[in-house]
Amino acid sequence: MVGDKHLRPFDDKVFDAGFVYISAYDIWVDPNHAAALAARVPTNVRSKLDDEQRRSLILGRTGRDWPLHETVSAIDRRDECTPDRWIPRHPHLIRLSGRHPFNCETPLQDLVQKGFITPTSLHFVRNHGAVPNLSWDTHMLSVTGLVDKPTKFTMADLVTKFDQVTVSATLVCVGNRRKEQNLVKKTKGFSWGASAVGTGKWTGVRLRDLLQKCYAHSYQEGACHVHLNGVEKEVPLGKMGCYGTSIPLSSANNAANDIIIAYKHNGKASSAESYLL
């Protein structure tokens, strides 16, 4: 959901030495695996909950966070013949790129009315392709590269094996207010208004905790950057067809930096538009 300057289709030709790789992907598991995930809730809590309550605890389906959400259930008719036909979307969102891929901003009056925290269903969206249809029960996070212990984490692993951290962050598309720029001189890109911006509470695990868990190499051992990949075949460009970015390893390991791998937005398991991670 950030601007295309920082989140773009990744071409694997830029792969080089000195990287720790973090990739997200989906796998198939037995349908009964969901019960196994719910069983990972701490014992002192699990004994007081039934199966559905355990699952709700993991996924963040609790009533107390719902003021930060506006539930949507209807499929927009404009999405019915697109790869995104399974995603309910808020009817107030302003579409900027036709039917597909889906790019939108929040009506400015709604953004002001909702206050400091933007409801998840009203957050602006920036896409280059279809939204991947992912499942909490099958999605995995892989940490490889210059680490001593390459590891694949389930979503439940991230919830139960690491400290949870919540960060309030404002995301702004780099094209915000481009419509005004286009009135002066034509630029490339959509004519974004003034509301390609949203503030939310993101919950997840510290990136540095993941790196320490996998015994990531130090700078002296040749590790320079942490490279992050999204789901493959998500966008039409690049051999891998995934979003990608990288940050210096020193930034990832700095405890003063609020760098997290987020799996919740506004207290609830991430929606389709904000992905699972």
Side-chain angles (χ1 to χ4, degrees):
M1 293 194 297
V2 298
D4 51 343
K5 179 180 179 181
H6 303 288
L7 185 62
R8 58 190 183 277
F10 175 73
D11 191 329
D12 66 342
K13 292 180 180 179
V14 304
F15 266 57
D16 202 352
F19 283 94
V20 176
Y21 299 108
I22 298 183
S23 303
Y25 61 95
D26 237 32
I27 63 169
W28 181 90
V29 297
D30 187 276
N32 293 325
H33 189 52
L37 297 182
R40 296 188 184 187
V41 176
T43 304
N44 62 329
V45 176
R46 185 171 68 242
S47 62
K48 301 177 182 179
L49 305 175
D50 59 30
D51 287 344
E52 182 57 34
Q53 288 173 323
R54 290 177 207 149
R55 184 177 178 82
S56 295
L57 179 62
I58 288 178
L59 300 184
R61 294 170 181 162
T62 56
R64 64 179 180 174
D65 297 314
W66 281 106
L68 303 180
H69 298 265
E70 283 199 12
T71 303
V72 290
S73 58
I75 304 297
D76 193 300
R77 58 179 178 80
R78 289 168 290 185
D79 292 325
E80 289 177 352
C81 296
T82 75
D84 292 345
R85 55 186 173 272
W86 57 280
I87 305 173
R89 284 170 170 149
H90 202 292
H92 289 187
L93 292 173
I94 301 172
R95 296 185 177 230
L96 301 171
S97 54
R99 293 164 65 90
H100 185 75
F102 182 68
N103 291 279
C104 73
E105 61 182 320
T106 316
L108 192 57
Q109 62 270 25
D110 285 3
L111 200 62
V112 173
Q113 181 184 11
K114 299 303 178 182
F116 186 69
I117 301 297
T118 308
T120 302
S121 60
L122 280 169
H123 203 288
F124 80 93
V125 177
R126 178 69 176 97
N127 277 330
H128 289 278
V131 177
N133 194 347
L134 307 176
S135 167
W136 177 279
D137 297 331
T138 62
H139 200 54
M140 303 280 286
L141 182 73
S142 172
V143 183
T144 59
L146 295 180
V147 298
D148 289 338
K149 188 180 178 182
T151 307
K152 297 175 182 178
F153 297 98
T154 66
M155 298 297 290
D157 288 337
L158 300 180
V159 172
T160 60
K161 295 182 178 180
F162 297 91
D163 291 336
Q164 296 188 58
V165 178
T166 297
V167 176
S168 294
T170 298
L171 303 183
V172 185
C173 179
V174 295
N176 198 41
R177 300 183 68 175
R178 187 182 285 143
K179 182 177 181 179
E180 298 168 55
Q181 293 178 314
N182 286 336
L183 293 175
V184 178
K185 184 177 181 179
K186 183 63 177 177
T187 65
K188 290 185 177 181
F190 311 134
S191 291
W192 293 93
S195 52
V197 57
T199 299
K201 296 182 178 181
W202 299 87
T203 300
V205 302
R206 297 182 184 89
L207 178 56
R208 67 189 299 267
D209 290 349
L210 279 171
L211 297 176
Q212 291 175 0
K213 184 77 170 179
C214 298
Y215 298 97
H217 292 190
S218 66
Y219 180 80
Q220 290 75 17
E221 295 172 309
C224 302
H225 289 81
V226 179
H227 183 82
L228 299 105
N229 276 349
V231 180
E232 293 187 12
K233 309 302 180 184
E234 181 180 357
V235 291
L237 300 178
K239 183 177 179 180
M240 296 175 63
C242 65
Y243 292 110
T245 191
S246 66
I247 60 174
L249 181 64
S250 57
S251 297
N253 281 329
N254 190 337
N257 292 336
D258 293 324
I259 302 175
I260 66 173
I261 302 296
Y263 47 76
K264 285 185 181 181
H265 184 241
N266 291 343
K268 184 174 179 285
S270 297
S271 67
E273 300 291 16
S274 54
Y275 303 88
L276 288 180
L277 291 172

